[in-house]
Amino acid sequence: MYSDQINIDGLQYCRWDRAYFEQLRNSGLNGVHVTLVYHENARETLTRFAQWQRLFELNSDLIMPVLDANDLREAKRQGRVGIFFGAQNCSPIDDEIGLISVMRQLGLLIMQLTYNNQSLLATGCYEQDDSGVTRFGKQAIEEMNRVGMIIDMSHSAERSTLDAIDLSSRPICISHANPSVHHQALRNKSDAVLKAMTERGGLLGFSLYPFHLPDGSQCTLDAFCSMIADCAERYGVDRLAIGSDLCQNQPQSVLDWMRNGRWSKAMDFGEGSASNAGWPDALPWFPDSSGFKNIYSGLIEKGFSESETAKILGGNWLSFLESGTRPA
Amino acid sequence: MYSDQINIDGLQYCRWDRAYFEQLRNSGLNGVHVTLVYHENARETLTRFAQWQRLFELNSDLIMPVLDANDLREAKRQGRVGIFFGAQNCSPIDDEIGLISVMRQLGLLIMQLTYNNQSLLATGCYEQDDSGVTRFGKQAIEEMNRVGMIIDMSHSAERSTLDAIDLSSRPICISHANPSVHHQALRNKSDAVLKAMTERGGLLGFSLYPFHLPDGSQCTLDAFCSMIADCAERYGVDRLAIGSDLCQNQPQSVLDWMRNGRWSKAMDFGEGSASNAGWPDALPWFPDSSGFKNIYSGLIEKGFSESETAKILGGNWLSFLESGTRPA
């Protein structure tokens, strides 16, 4: 049953307040991979951690910080939602290799090597040319492997992602994206990437952000679950999870920040366009975190067993975190 | 016996390298309160943590990080030296209350509210006027109490120190200074301060920095131990410890940095003078950490029991850390 499972959303960036945390707990989610930063540098990342420590202090009945997989089991037992942090970009480490272990100690369990653009570590999925993992990137991967910080290539380009899969001694993840074969988009991933990643034990989190889905906001629950069923055949059910990319209650300014950071004078519309610059409409069957229950039902209907839904909706994230965040 | 005790130096700022760590381990010290920063701001403090994590990685046979008192017992068992961090100034938190818990999570167990000068939190011992703990300082004390970060007033002025003792719900420390009654100096502490602090369970670490001692570099071991014996009568043996202020192998540039930071255009000579600007000569009986053994012998000679020397040379720091770093 859904409520017996450990349910984990592998990517959210919502407006974090008490009302949202109440909704989160009521949704039956036990853990959320929270995006701590998009473009914030090391100093700004400290402020984000500080803001979260205040949120933990004020909402300790609803949420708790997760530093390892056991904290998620504890959160489930206590009826709280475990929060674990990731960065969507490598901006928190500035240009300093030593900040990887420092940020890891603060609880940054996951870091993307790049966010759409070229970074100091690798190439993003919106660049025209992908020069692969950089000199600094190679050292950063080794250091992330050492300290147990999970590499996430959700917003990275193809060659860079294949490089990272090869270079990393530990499985990597794509926390929130879908297969290009189901919907062609710069942010979605080729079969070659997904095959290489999953063969090495990596994890794919299916995104519910309409721009990543066939038919966008009209994508049906059935189509979404068919995509999962197809990937279960291609890559194995143990390699699949959910990373909803839910950005609930966020104003347009946050979307602009995600897309433009401080790097662009011209407005960059990301996956949208000048005439379609706003947040996409939410999927009717995934209006918020409570949509996880609908996915559970959809998967059961699609023929998945209880134990398979338990893996896809949280169990796989739990074991991936367990092995991926253990220091080498 | 000296080698059976847990021996802790409550303040050092040496040139940290492998040769020094070998000497440290051979000295019989099991724990050292390391000054992480003097004037470094939040961002720069991250680099200091990163440098230390690299030192831990490269010298894991000799040293280990200490996040609570048990780590010191573990260090003793393993024959390594436990390192716990303090800041001599409140610069690591910039102007941000939330950075107290962030820095605490990184292992900053101790923080001075001010270093000689006025800070955002309190007044330093070199200022002409002492306006006491500031508005921000009051909140910072409360937050340090909450997260278990120990307040150190070694470089603070009289009224500010008395304020902090009153405002803090937990005992505070003066990690490295001596009683003014034994040697008059801006950095030494009045009987009123030491009485108020120790009555509330606070800890005084005796300094071996010659400027803090009667007769400076000529201070005898006997005179040093007499000072401890006098304080044991005044404040009780449970409230006494050592904070040597050892700055071994540090060049003049580091002394200049300690004294001048970035705040002074004119050269500030601290406890020295234009004609005496350098490091003072080391005490012959405390040339380096091995001098702890001499203090042990001196205390025994002065009539202290084995259990009393064990307290003064480490046991008191251990229990102070144990209670002081536990979150409220």
Side-chain angles (χ1 to χ4, degrees):
Chain A
M1 256 180 47
Y2 177 72
S3 60
D4 297 331
Q5 304 174 179
I6 292 195
N7 300 301
I8 297 173
D9 192 346
L11 205 292
Q12 291 196 1
Y13 189 68
C14 298
R15 212 184 67 191
W16 312 110
D17 55 23
R18 186 161 179 88
Y20 184 73
F21 294 138
E22 277 165 351
Q23 191 188 72
L24 202 50
R25 194 190 45 182
N26 296 339
S27 74
L29 280 185
N30 309 108
V32 175
H33 169 197
V34 159
T35 288
L36 183 72
V37 298
Y38 279 94
H39 306 286
E40 289 90 335
N41 63 21
R43 175 61 185 83
E44 294 161 338
T45 299
L46 292 187
T47 294
R48 295 281 174 260
F49 274 120
Q51 290 165 337
W52 268 101
Q53 298 200 358
R54 184 69 175 144
L55 288 173
F56 288 129
E57 193 187 344
L58 294 174
N59 302 281
S60 60
D61 53 330
L62 299 172
I63 57 170
M64 60 175 273
V66 168
L67 292 177
D68 59 37
N70 271 331
D71 291 334
L72 282 166
R73 297 193 183 94
E74 192 55 30
K76 168 86 180 172
R77 261 192 297 274
Q78 297 182 7
R80 298 195 281 170
V81 182
I83 303 290
F84 55 101
F85 295 113
Q88 294 233 12
N89 203 343
C90 60
S91 51
I93 66 166
D94 290 352
D95 59 354
E96 197 169 335
I97 188 82
L99 293 198
I100 290 172
S101 65
V102 171
M103 291 296 165
R104 176 64 184 76
Q105 198 178 345
L106 284 172
L108 192 72
L109 302 189
I110 301 166
M111 188 171 79
Q112 291 193 43
L113 300 194
T114 165
Y115 183 79
N116 298 344
N117 287 5
Q118 178 69 41
S119 77
L120 296 183
L121 306 184
T123 304
C125 61
Y126 278 42
E127 296 286 358
Q128 288 235 309
D129 296 292
D130 177 2
S131 47
V133 169
T134 65
R135 298 176 75 212
F136 182 17
K138 284 171 190 164
Q139 295 219 25
I141 287 172
E142 197 176 338
E143 180 69 354
M144 291 171 78
N145 286 164
R146 186 182 74 85
V147 303
M149 184 187 281
I150 291 170
I151 295 164
D152 185 352
M153 296 302 274
S154 295
H155 285 257
S156 302
E158 174 102 358
R159 180 180 155 197
S160 287
T161 306
L162 291 169
D163 278 2
I165 293 164
D166 265 356
L167 289 162
S168 178
S169 60
R170 296 179 146 197
I172 73 156
C173 77
I174 290 168
S175 65
H176 60 303
N178 291 326
S180 309
V181 70
H182 289 274
H183 178 66
Q184 195 64 46
L186 286 172
R187 273 277 282 103
N188 283 341
K189 305 302 174 191
S190 73
D191 182 59
V193 159
L194 295 176
K195 193 170 239 127
M197 180 183 76
T198 53
E199 275 173 356
R200 310 279 188 95
L203 197 70
L204 168 67
F206 293 101
S207 166
L208 290 130
Y209 193 55
F211 283 123
H212 306 154
L213 289 167
D215 299 319
S217 301
Q218 270 71 55
C219 178
T220 62
L221 176 60
D222 184 71
F224 183 75
C225 292
S226 292
M227 175 171 72
I228 298 182
D230 172 57
C231 289
E233 275 187 39
R234 287 172 188 262
Y235 314 119
V237 75
D238 289 345
R239 311 269 53 85
L240 307 181
I242 305 290
S244 75
D245 212 357
L246 185 70
C247 297
Q248 200 173 314
N249 303 333
Q250 293 284 31
Q252 180 68 28
S253 59
V254 163
L255 184 58
D256 294 343
W257 161 250
M258 288 159 62
R259 289 171 170 172
N260 293 275
R262 289 179 283 245
W263 65 273
S264 181
K265 283 174 77 173
M267 181 63 84
D268 186 86
F269 296 103
E271 292 152 310
S273 62
S275 60
N276 184 24
W279 292 103
D281 291 337
L283 300 157
W285 47 273
F286 198 83
D288 52 45
S289 301
S290 71
F292 254 70
K293 278 181 219 164
N294 296 328
I295 301 176
Y296 167 81
S297 307
L299 290 174
I300 293 286
E301 205 153 298
K302 196 55 68 181
F304 284 95
S305 69
E306 288 285 343
S307 81
E308 285 170 332
T309 65
K311 285 177 176 183
I312 295 168
L313 296 181
N316 289 339
W317 254 117
L318 190 68
S319 29
F320 192 71
L321 267 183
E322 185 133 58
S323 57
T325 61
R326 199 178 290 138
Chain B
M1 260 185 40
Y2 176 72
S3 59
D4 297 330
Q5 304 176 179
I6 291 195
N7 300 301
I8 298 174
D9 192 345
L11 205 292
Q12 291 195 2
Y13 187 69
C14 298
R15 212 184 67 193
W16 312 110
D17 54 23
R18 185 160 180 89
Y20 184 72
F21 295 138
E22 277 166 350
Q23 191 188 73
L24 202 50
R25 193 190 46 181
N26 296 338
S27 74
L29 280 186
N30 310 108
V32 175
H33 169 197
V34 159
T35 289
L36 183 72
V37 298
Y38 279 94
H39 305 286
E40 289 90 336
N41 64 21
R43 175 61 185 84
E44 294 162 338
T45 299
L46 292 187
T47 294
R48 294 281 175 260
F49 274 120
Q51 290 166 336
W52 268 101
Q53 298 202 358
R54 184 69 175 145
L55 289 173
F56 288 129
E57 192 187 345
L58 294 174
N59 302 282
S60 60
D61 53 329
L62 299 172
I63 57 170
M64 59 175 274
V66 168
L67 291 177
D68 60 39
N70 271 332
D71 292 332
L72 282 166
R73 296 192 184 96
E74 192 56 29
K76 168 86 180 173
R77 260 192 297 275
Q78 298 183 6
R80 298 196 280 170
V81 182
I83 302 290
F84 55 102
F85 294 114
Q88 296 233 11
N89 203 344
C90 60
S91 51
I93 66 166
D94 291 353
D95 60 354
E96 196 169 335
I97 187 82
L99 293 198
I100 291 172
S101 64
V102 171
M103 291 295 165
R104 176 64 183 78
Q105 198 178 346
L106 284 172
L108 192 71
L109 302 189
I110 301 166
M111 188 171 79
Q112 291 192 42
L113 300 195
T114 164
Y115 183 79
N116 298 344
N117 287 4
Q118 178 69 41
S119 77
L120 296 183
L121 306 184
T123 305
C125 61
Y126 278 41
E127 295 286 358
Q128 288 235 308
D129 296 293
D130 178 1
S131 47
V133 169
T134 65
R135 298 176 74 213
F136 182 17
K138 284 171 191 163
Q139 294 218 25
I141 286 172
E142 197 177 338
E143 180 70 355
M144 290 171 78
N145 286 164
R146 186 181 74 86
V147 303
M149 184 187 280
I150 292 169
I151 295 163
D152 184 352
M153 296 301 275
S154 295
H155 285 257
S156 301
E158 174 102 359
R159 181 182 153 196
S160 288
T161 306
L162 291 169
D163 278 1
I165 293 164
D166 265 355
L167 289 162
S168 178
S169 61
R170 296 177 146 199
I172 73 157
C173 78
I174 290 168
S175 64
H176 59 303
N178 292 325
S180 309
V181 69
H182 289 274
H183 178 65
Q184 195 64 47
L186 286 172
R187 273 276 282 104
N188 283 341
K189 305 303 172 189
S190 74
D191 182 60
V193 158
L194 294 176
K195 193 169 239 128
M197 179 182 76
T198 53
E199 276 173 357
R200 310 278 188 97
L203 197 70
L204 169 67
F206 293 100
S207 166
L208 290 130
Y209 193 54
F211 283 123
H212 306 155
L213 289 166
D215 300 320
S217 301
Q218 270 70 55
C219 178
T220 62
L221 176 59
D222 184 72
F224 183 76
C225 292
S226 293
M227 176 172 71
I228 298 182
D230 171 57
C231 289
E233 275 187 40
R234 286 172 189 262
Y235 314 119
V237 75
D238 290 346
R239 309 268 55 85
L240 308 181
I242 305 290
S244 74
D245 212 358
L246 186 69
C247 297
Q248 201 173 312
N249 304 331
Q250 293 285 31
Q252 180 68 30
S253 60
V254 163
L255 185 58
D256 293 344
W257 162 250
M258 287 158 63
R259 289 170 170 172
N260 292 274
R262 288 179 284 247
W263 65 273
S264 180
K265 285 174 76 174
M267 181 63 83
D268 186 85
F269 297 102
E271 292 153 310
S273 61
S275 59
N276 184 23
W279 292 103
D281 291 336
L283 300 156
W285 46 274
F286 197 84
D288 52 45
S289 300
S290 70
F292 254 70
K293 278 181 220 164
N294 295 327
I295 300 176
Y296 167 81
S297 306
L299 291 174
I300 293 286
E301 206 153 299
K302 197 56 67 183
F304 284 95
S305 69
E306 287 285 343
S307 80
E308 286 170 332
T309 64
K311 284 177 175 183
I312 295 169
L313 295 180
N316 289 339
W317 254 117
L318 190 69
S319 29
F320 192 71
L321 268 182
E322 185 134 59
S323 58
T325 61
R326 200 178 290 138

